[in-house]
Amino acid sequence: MDSLRPEIIDFHGVSMSHYFTDNWENVQNFQARPDDILTATYPKAGTTWVSYILDLLYFGQTAPERQATMPIYERVPFLEICRPGIDSGKDRADELPTSPRLIKTHFPVQFVPKSFWEQNCRIIYLARNAKDSLVSYYHFCRMNSSQPWPGEWSTFFHDFMEGKMVFGSWYDHVNGWWEKKQTYSNLHYMFYEDLIKDTGRELDKLCSFLGLSPSAEEKDRVTNGAQFDNMKKDNMANYSTVRIMDFKISPFMRKGKVGDWKTHFTVAQNEEFDDDYKKKMKDSTLQFQTEI
Ligand code: A3P
């Protein structure tokens, strides 16, 4: 276990780590612009994938050198991140020279800086089913020394159900954002599983939300460029430039599949998870696919 790993803290009722709360005041005072595009996700929902798609859509033709030379976390800054030795996400977002500015957050909806709502910014929320999110998060915490130590699989499994994760409870996160969508019309809620099943159709829906009408050729370029295998070998997208990640333990671009939970959950764990899930999601109209 790495001694630099942070502890989980309770922050305004949400489990967090200090790397995402240390810059709280500055982040809360972030001045969004009306054309900013915020991508919000619970960790491991495919944030990098959507970030990559957005970057290709907006800048793939006008600034191809971006894709070749800038890591994805510089093209699409992580708003709340604040770690020693790197610029804060808030500063990176402030300094983005582009229009629109593409910004990412893992905040639960109640933590989003108010200027995004005031400016009526377009927001994309990407959700992924709980079981695959759990598995992906487990491997991510193993390989990323800036995450709390995940412990054994069965410990992490229960911690996930209890919401003892950085960025809190998956259940609260997906539901909180889903409720927001009912009143905030500039929120596009999409699912990882749909993106896997039919990337072209999801891209069409995304473009319609964004008010973009790329040519068929341009759309092909984006869907092909953002395929898992392409992104996995792209050093500007696969996080191989980040020292705190140990790819010998697990690569960032790990499997990119729906249903990998089946190789991790025991039959008993699956039953326990399903029983608990039904209780936690009983009032929700959200429907997830755990296999396709
Ligand atoms: P797995 O660990 O299940 O492979 P995030 O970017 O939010 O951290 O999410 C990372 C997850 O998205 C990882 O899931 C990663 O492999 C997957 N992912 C990234 N790019 C993808 C792509 N182009 N297609 C499918 N999955 C992708």
Side-chain angles (χ1 to χ4, degrees):
M1 181 169 156
D2 188 329
S3 58
L4 294 174
R5 284 175 179 266
E7 300 289 324
I8 296 254
I9 53 169
D10 182 326
F11 189 77
H12 297 293
V14 178
S15 293
M16 292 291 288
S17 92
H18 73 92
Y19 288 132
F20 307 109
T21 60
D22 280 349
N23 205 23
W24 178 253
E25 293 296 324
N26 289 329
V27 171
Q28 289 306 306
N29 290 324
F30 179 74
Q31 292 302 306
R33 297 183 197 144
D35 64 341
D36 285 347
I37 297 172
L38 184 68
T39 299
T41 57
Y42 189 76
K44 311 321 288 174
T47 332
T48 316
W49 191 7
V50 166
S51 301
Y52 197 82
I53 288 174
L54 289 172
D55 186 63
L56 281 179
L57 272 175
Y58 280 101
F59 309 114
Q61 281 187 316
T62 52
E65 68 286 354
R66 261 170 80 86
Q67 286 83 36
T69 58
M70 283 176 80
I72 191 69
Y73 48 83
E74 288 179 14
R75 285 179 261 158
V76 185
F78 185 2
L79 184 64
E80 58 270 25
I81 199 167
C82 176
R83 281 202 291 108
I86 59 166
D87 293 338
S88 73
K90 193 261 179 193
D91 285 349
R92 276 190 180 157
D94 273 338
E95 286 157 19
L96 280 178
T98 56
S99 177
R101 302 186 297 186
L102 306 175
I103 300 169
K104 123 181 181 189
T105 185
H106 286 320
F107 272 160
V109 68
Q110 70 273 23
F111 283 5
V112 171
K114 65 176 186 316
S115 62
F116 283 101
W117 311 118
E118 288 166 354
Q119 298 293 337
N120 197 31
C121 296
R122 284 194 174 90
I123 303 184
I124 296 153
Y125 187 80
L126 177 69
R128 186 180 193 184
N129 81 76
K131 293 178 181 178
D132 284 325
S133 296
L134 193 175
V135 169
S136 182
Y137 211 175
Y138 173 63
H139 291 293
F140 184 68
C141 291
R142 291 192 317 120
M143 62 82 104
N144 183 339
S145 63
S146 72
Q147 282 290 318
W149 179 247
E152 295 297 317
W153 161 249
S154 68
T155 308
F156 192 86
F157 176 85
H158 288 106
D159 285 350
F160 184 94
M161 288 197 285
E162 288 167 30
K164 287 192 216 152
M165 301 277 114
V166 177
F167 295 105
S169 152
W170 175 91
Y171 313 85
D172 292 347
H173 208 283
V174 295
N175 282 316
W177 278 97
W178 183 245
E179 280 162 29
K180 187 75 185 180
K181 177 188 154 62
Q182 316 312 320
T183 55
Y184 184 79
S185 59
N186 250 354
L187 174 53
H188 182 65
Y189 201 107
M190 48 193 301
F191 297 90
Y192 178 91
E193 294 75 21
D194 288 340
L195 204 49
I196 290 268
K197 272 204 302 206
D198 194 338
T199 312
R201 187 192 56 199
E202 290 307 305
L203 184 66
D204 283 344
K205 284 167 32 185
L206 181 63
C207 287
S208 144
F209 168 71
L210 295 168
L212 299 176
S213 34
S215 64
E217 191 188 325
E218 177 62 5
K219 278 193 281 192
D220 281 350
R221 207 179 54 77
V222 174
T223 37
N224 292 335
Q227 276 175 12
F228 181 79
D229 292 340
N230 280 339
M231 286 180 58
K232 189 176 171 78
K233 58 180 187 239
D234 177 352
N235 287 339
M236 294 296 114
N238 63 17
Y239 281 83
S240 56
T241 43
V242 175
R243 283 200 350 262
I244 52 168
M245 297 186 185
D246 185 347
F247 282 21
K248 290 198 289 300
I249 297 176
S250 181
F252 182 89
M253 297 287 169
R254 197 181 57 90
K255 290 200 180 167
K257 290 199 166 12
V258 179
D260 186 43
W261 60 272
K262 291 180 187 172
T263 64
H264 291 69
F265 283 41
T266 64
V267 172
Q269 281 172 337
N270 195 34
E271 282 171 11
E272 183 185 351
F273 194 90
D274 285 347
D275 284 348
D276 179 70
Y277 187 92
K278 278 191 205 108
K279 287 181 205 141
K280 291 204 169 86
M281 300 293 279
K282 72 177 185 332
D283 296 325
S284 178
T285 53
L286 266 173
Q287 296 288 334
F288 283 91
Q289 304 161 82
T290 52
E291 50 195 321
I292 53 174

